[in-house]
Amino acid sequence: MSVRPPTPGNDANEPGGGRPDIPDEAWERFVGECGTSSGSAPREPSARARMVTERLRKADEEAAARRRTRRWGGKKRQPEPWQPEGWRTGPAWQEMEGGRRGRGRLGRAGMALGAGVTVLALLYALDPALVRSWLPDGAHGAGPAAPLPAETAAPAAAPKEELLPGRPTVEQPFAGSPAKRWAEGADAIEVPKATAVGGVPAAEIRAALERTRKFLVAANLDRDVLYGAEPAEALALLDPLMGETVDRIRKSLDKPGEDNDPTWLFTRFDRDEVRLAGEAVKVRGRMEVTENEQGVPRIRADYTFVYPLARAEGGEEVARTVVRRVLDVDVLHGPRWEHTEGTLWMYGYNGDIANDTCDEHDGFIHPQFVADRYANPATGEERDPYDRSRPVEKWTGEGECLVASRT
């Protein structure tokens, strides 16, 4: 094979001069592709030709990028093992391959990377929850989601489902839950600004709001109460002049039953079965003061508590229980009403518990884990326990055992 020498008068050793030694076959092929006659130098394309060529190149790259887009989801799937009965899949998500594709050969590292991506895609198709659980918290988007502002009115709709829900674990117990953006613990129960209502001074309204907050904390966030202890602090806040109401509440703790269950007012778990996964309990809700038909100020406290729980014997599986509590407290004032100062006069209470057995009434909430849900599936209507847009009265009903769409 011969080598073409440099063109006379254009020394290849001079800066910017000539071309390097190139085999004859390669040079002739280059000349032919450029549309020149054999033996003549290639001509530089015009500015318009370069512009057209660049435009076509970009169009080809954009088309190739669209062909490389991959999508998962978009059709109904069976619930993944860690999801509650009736879980609805979120919108389809897409993964775009970023950057330009190189023009050179794919080396060993590139081939290994391509094989890894293919394996990851196959694993995701078989078990999406497993692959998502490998992602660190906040890896689904631009970082950890910002906390929600305090709730001041009923929301218009239920919170949207997570685009990429993660698997809840002891380290990340709120992964995939809207509660991840909620405030934590007692600090989440904020007392609104008090004003005079129904002739009752603002100072007394404020004191009643504080007592209501204290009751909610003692009944739903006190660690001893959560593990089955008697809610002594909460009971001490109730006005003893309520008579039968207080007696019935105390009896439900001593002798719980189907018609007298303390879990409709107090959050209690069997410490031999479960333990809290971490220290945080997520809380969201609000307190409002209105005037009832008799002109008495009435406080309505409406809060949802989310408890991440693991089995008492250990393990990484986490089951969340979502409890919504609604208390109506009348603020009695003056000699017109017989009451005890410094206590709560509870007009009524209601509740909704998601992820609890429907046939046990021993005074405890019994969250279901994966095996439990498949062994004893709920058969009632499906509802979203995170939906705070409707009054709790519209969610509860006699003898209903509902299916939680998510926890």
Side-chain angles (χ1 to χ4, degrees):
M1 177 178 64
S2 62
V3 177
R4 181 182 295 272
T7 304
N10 192 5
D11 191 351
N13 295 323
E14 295 180 4
R19 61 175 177 84
D21 290 344
I22 303 174
D24 290 335
E25 295 85 344
W27 176 258
E28 290 170 0
R29 185 168 60 253
F30 173 73
V31 171
E33 290 175 350
C34 293
T36 63
S37 58
S38 177
S40 62
R43 292 178 298 173
E44 181 181 4
S46 66
R48 178 175 178 82
R50 290 197 302 270
M51 181 178 66
V52 172
T53 301
E54 178 67 13
R55 185 181 302 167
L56 292 174
R57 184 186 64 79
K58 289 183 177 180
D60 289 342
E61 287 186 353
E62 291 174 357
R66 287 194 295 271
R67 288 193 297 270
R68 292 196 300 267
T69 301
R70 296 175 294 193
R71 300 177 184 270
W72 288 268
K75 63 181 180 179
K76 187 70 175 179
R77 300 180 299 184
Q78 293 298 316
E80 297 171 10
W82 58 273
Q83 295 172 338
E85 289 278 332
W87 178 277
R88 292 187 295 272
T89 57
W93 65 282
Q94 48 188 319
E95 176 185 282
M96 301 291 291
E97 293 180 2
R100 296 181 178 179
R101 178 176 292 177
R103 294 176 179 267
R105 294 180 179 178
L106 185 64
R108 293 182 179 178
M111 288 189 290
L113 178 62
V117 171
T118 302
V119 171
L120 188 63
L122 291 173
L123 284 174
Y124 188 90
L126 295 173
D127 191 349
L130 175 63
V131 177
R132 287 197 297 260
S133 68
W134 296 337
L135 299 176
D137 187 36
H140 305 149
L148 290 177
E151 183 178 287
T152 57
K160 293 181 180 180
E161 292 183 272
E162 293 282 317
L163 185 64
L164 280 178
R167 182 197 299 268
T169 63
V170 174
E171 289 74 23
Q172 298 291 339
F174 297 101
S177 167
K180 185 163 62 172
R181 299 182 61 195
W182 293 5
E184 296 180 6
D187 292 339
I189 305 178
E190 299 182 1
V191 174
K193 183 178 179 180
T195 58
V197 178
V200 179
E204 290 195 29
I205 299 294
R206 170 79 183 187
L209 287 167
E210 291 285 1
R211 286 193 292 271
T212 303
R213 176 185 182 276
K214 191 175 181 181
F215 183 91
L216 287 168
V217 172
N220 299 282
L221 294 173
D222 183 280
R223 285 298 189 270
D224 292 335
V225 174
L226 292 180
Y227 286 130
E230 181 182 273
E233 186 177 355
L235 292 171
L237 288 167
L238 298 178
D239 193 332
L241 295 179
M242 290 168 56
E244 292 183 1
T245 300
V246 177
D247 293 340
R248 186 171 61 252
I249 292 173
R250 291 186 179 276
K251 181 180 178 181
S252 71
L253 291 163
D254 295 335
K255 297 180 179 180
E258 184 174 359
D259 299 324
N260 207 26
D261 195 331
T263 60
W264 293 116
L265 189 57
F266 307 108
T267 303
R268 306 167 76 232
F269 301 98
D270 188 340
R271 67 188 312 146
D272 292 333
E273 291 183 0
V274 297
R275 59 180 174 86
L276 284 174
E279 296 297 321
V281 174
K282 295 287 187 171
V283 186
R284 186 159 183 80
R286 65 192 184 281
M287 278 191 272
E288 300 172 325
V289 184
T290 58
E291 192 174 336
N292 71 9
E293 62 278 0
Q294 295 177 304
V296 175
R298 177 168 293 167
I299 299 171
R300 166 155 283 207
D302 183 346
Y303 286 87
T304 299
F305 302 82
V306 183
Y307 304 91
L309 301 149
R311 296 186 185 276
E313 62 267 23
E316 279 294 305
E317 184 183 358
V318 170
R320 290 188 291 253
T321 289
V322 184
V323 180
R324 186 176 178 183
R325 302 286 189 200
V326 175
L327 302 180
D328 287 327
V329 175
D330 284 348
V331 185
L332 304 182
H333 172 73
R336 180 184 174 189
W337 307 102
E338 186 179 7
H339 65 285
T340 304
E341 293 290 342
T343 61
L344 288 178
W345 187 280
M346 192 177 297
Y347 173 78
Y349 56 90
N350 210 331
D352 188 22
I353 303 174
N355 192 16
D356 179 28
T357 57
C358 296
D359 54 358
E360 292 188 63
H361 305 281
D362 57 359
F364 298 108
I365 298 172
H366 298 278
Q368 294 186 297
F369 292 82
V370 171
D372 304 322
R373 286 197 297 270
Y374 287 137
N376 302 290
T379 57
E381 181 184 349
E382 179 182 287
R383 293 180 183 174
D384 184 355
Y386 288 97
D387 187 357
R388 295 184 44 79
S389 64
R390 298 174 63 181
V392 72
E393 292 85 356
K394 294 186 178 181
W395 289 118
T396 56
E398 287 293 330
E400 287 187 301
C401 186
L402 306 178
V403 177
S405 63
R406 55 176 169 173
T407 60

